[in-house]
């Protein structure tokens, strides 16, 4: 062996001492052991350079990738008040009635005028000019007792509206020149619709204070959000738009929110025959969408759907499987 090779070995031994060398501490010995893989990988890379330059293998998907649509109708009216909130707002009405007249009534109404007479009539009838707060005298010794028991009918907003409308009708009819015709003032639209009374879950004119979601029923009887497999060279948003059109028809004005999914659901097949011949299950990625107008129409749908419903979050849990609901419940609004 040449002297040059011996010199190279001496330099290597100085730069990288042996593990068994007593001059090497225990910590360094462990480090040298852990770093031994680097030398092996370097040798492997130098021996087979073609392996590193090879292309990545094409991995066949184990699940069918689907695009789902969470189509919702937002709330149309304010939420229902709790009994405590109703009693609190009613208390504020009576408190305002007690504090709103720091001056005598003749500061507002001249003696003997029709307005003054109307004021006196209202005071005699209900002890206050405000019909919506019930019988209450803000200037009596019991004026401090302006609270209301929780659940009293006077605290119901619908009752207050009805009292105000009746008061306006009585005033209009009393001052009307034509006494043969009774004037009627239009009432506000009710919060409970005809669809609510009939429990028509296909109607969008129900549960106006809640968010409703479109669910469809497959030919097997399962309820889910509309979904279908993604085809080649199709984005998730394009697949969701196509799915909604194929499932619920084109008679809806919808708006797709964003380009990214809001959640996903994974279903693994349990049938051994399916596992042997096809994918192991399904992965559904849900896109969020809103309906602006129109209605779902399943006639001629391309997915063999048999029925549809517009349901709130609480109602959805009664129709879908528990595993499915556990995956989608966080995507749904509580209201």
């Amino acid at each position: 062996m040449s002297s040059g090779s011996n010199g190279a070995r001496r330099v290597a031994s100085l730069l990288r001492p042996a593990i068994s060398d007593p001059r090497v501490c225990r910590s360094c010995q462990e480090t040298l052991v852990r770093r031994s893989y680097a030398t092996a990988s370097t040798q492997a890379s130098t021996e087979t350079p073609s392996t590193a330059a090879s292309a990545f293998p094409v991995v066949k998907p184990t699940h069918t990738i689907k695009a789902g649509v969470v189509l919702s109708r937002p709330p149309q009216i304010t939420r229902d008040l709790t009994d405590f909130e109703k009693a609190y707002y009613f208390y504020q009405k009576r408190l305002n009635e007690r504090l709103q007249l720091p001056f005598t009534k003749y500061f507002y109404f001249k003696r003997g005028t029709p307005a003054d007479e109307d004021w006196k009539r209202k005071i005699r009838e209900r002890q206050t000019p405000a019909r919506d707060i019930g019988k209450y005298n803000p200037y009596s010794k019991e004026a401090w007792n302006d609270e209301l028991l929780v659940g009293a009918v006077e605290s119901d907003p619908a009752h207050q509206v009805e009292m105000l409308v009746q008061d306006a009708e009585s005033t209009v009819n009393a001052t009307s020149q034509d006494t043969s015709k009774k004037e009627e003032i239009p009432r506000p639209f009710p919060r409970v619709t005809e669809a609510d009374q009939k429990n028509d879950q296909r109607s969008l004119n129900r549960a106006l204070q809640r968010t409703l979601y479109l669910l469809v029923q497959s030919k097997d009887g399962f309820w889910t959000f509309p979904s279908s497999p993604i085809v080649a060279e199709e984005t998730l948003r394009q697949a969701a738009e196509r799915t909604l059109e194929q499932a619920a028809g084109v008679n809806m004005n919808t708006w797709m929110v964003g380009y990214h999914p809001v959640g996903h659901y994974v279903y693994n097949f349990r049938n051994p025959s399916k596992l042997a011949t096809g994918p192991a299950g399904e992965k559904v990625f849900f896109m969020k969408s809103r309906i602006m107008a129109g209605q779902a129409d399943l006639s001629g749908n391309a997915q063999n759907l048999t029925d549809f419903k517009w349901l709130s979050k609480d109602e959805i849990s009664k129709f879908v499987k528990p595993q499915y609901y556990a995956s989608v419940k966080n995507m749904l609004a509580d209201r």
Side-chain angles (χ1 to χ4, degrees):
M1 185 177 293
S2 63
S3 59
S5 61
N6 294 332
R9 285 189 176 182
R10 294 192 193 97
V11 174
S13 62
L14 293 175
L15 295 178
R16 182 182 177 85
I19 300 176
S20 59
D21 194 333
R23 294 174 298 176
V24 180
C25 66
R26 184 175 181 181
S27 176
C28 295
Q29 291 178 2
E30 295 177 355
T31 304
L32 293 173
V33 172
R34 290 196 301 267
R35 290 182 178 178
S36 61
Y37 70 90
T39 305
S41 62
T42 304
Q43 295 175 357
S45 62
T46 55
E47 291 175 359
T48 57
S50 59
T51 306
S54 62
F56 291 101
V58 179
V59 180
K60 185 178 180 180
T62 59
H63 291 71
T64 301
I65 307 300
K66 288 187 172 183
V69 184
V70 182
L71 182 63
S72 63
R73 186 223 66 187
Q76 306 297 301
I77 59 177
T78 58
R79 66 174 178 84
D80 295 333
L81 300 177
T82 63
D83 291 339
F84 175 80
E85 290 172 332
K86 293 177 182 178
Y88 172 78
Y89 290 132
F90 187 85
Y91 167 74
Q92 294 294 325
K93 287 176 176 289
R94 285 189 169 177
L95 182 61
N96 183 65
E97 181 73 14
R98 177 150 48 98
L99 301 177
Q100 71 176 347
L101 294 177
F103 304 102
T104 176
K105 66 177 181 179
Y106 299 114
F107 180 85
Y108 302 95
F109 307 109
K110 187 177 180 180
R111 294 177 184 270
T113 59
D116 182 39
E117 295 299 325
D118 184 60
W119 173 275
K120 293 178 181 179
R121 178 183 60 83
K122 291 178 179 179
I123 293 296
R124 288 193 301 266
E125 288 180 357
R126 54 181 182 267
Q127 299 179 340
T128 179
R131 174 65 70 90
D132 58 328
I133 66 173
K135 289 188 176 183
Y136 170 70
N137 189 351
Y139 302 105
S140 66
K141 295 181 180 180
E142 300 294 329
W144 59 270
N145 190 15
D146 48 13
E147 296 181 2
L148 196 68
L149 296 177
V150 175
V153 65
E154 289 84 2
S155 64
D156 190 1
H159 174 78
Q160 297 172 12
V161 170
E162 182 63 26
M163 292 295 101
L164 291 175
V165 172
Q166 291 181 7
D167 185 40
E169 286 180 346
S170 62
T171 302
V172 171
N173 293 322
T175 57
S176 177
Q177 299 292 336
D178 187 6
T179 57
S180 61
K181 182 179 179 181
K182 185 178 180 181
E183 191 74 19
E184 293 185 0
I185 296 180
R187 265 70 173 174
F189 287 106
R191 296 176 64 88
V192 179
T193 64
E194 182 179 358
D196 287 319
Q197 298 174 354
K198 295 181 179 180
N199 195 25
D200 184 8
Q201 295 181 336
R202 281 190 169 191
S203 174
L204 280 167
N205 193 30
R206 62 177 290 269
L208 300 180
Q209 69 277 14
R210 300 293 303 276
T211 301
L212 297 182
Y213 299 92
L214 176 65
L215 262 73
V216 293
Q217 186 181 33
S218 65
K219 61 180 181 180
D220 298 328
F222 298 110
W223 289 92
T224 59
F225 293 118
S227 64
S228 67
I230 300 178
V231 299
E233 299 182 357
E234 188 178 40
T235 65
L236 185 60
R237 181 184 173 114
Q238 293 173 346
E241 293 174 347
R242 174 186 54 78
T243 298
L244 191 59
E245 179 179 342
Q246 293 178 351
V250 296
N251 297 327
M252 293 189 300
N253 182 9
T254 59
W255 170 52
M256 197 67 63
V257 182
Y259 292 85
H260 305 283
V262 295
H264 73 285
Y265 168 69
V266 179
Y267 174 69
N268 296 317
F269 295 136
R270 297 182 180 179
N271 191 343
S273 60
K274 289 185 176 181
L275 295 176
T277 59
E282 299 176 350
K283 290 185 178 180
V284 187
F285 295 89
F286 297 100
M287 297 290 292
K288 186 177 181 181
S289 182
R290 288 288 179 91
I291 181 172
M292 314 304 292
Q295 177 60 290
D297 183 14
L298 299 187
S299 59
N301 72 88
Q303 300 181 9
N304 295 325
L305 303 177
T306 59
D307 198 2
F308 73 92
K309 291 181 183 293
W310 290 97
L311 304 175
S312 63
K313 180 178 180 179
D314 301 335
E315 295 171 335
I316 290 177
S317 61
K318 303 175 183 177
F319 287 87
V320 301
K321 291 184 175 182
Q323 181 183 0
Y324 188 86
Y325 183 73
S327 299
V328 304
K329 65 179 181 180
N330 292 333
M331 302 185 302
L332 312 179
D334 292 332
R335 183 182 167 242

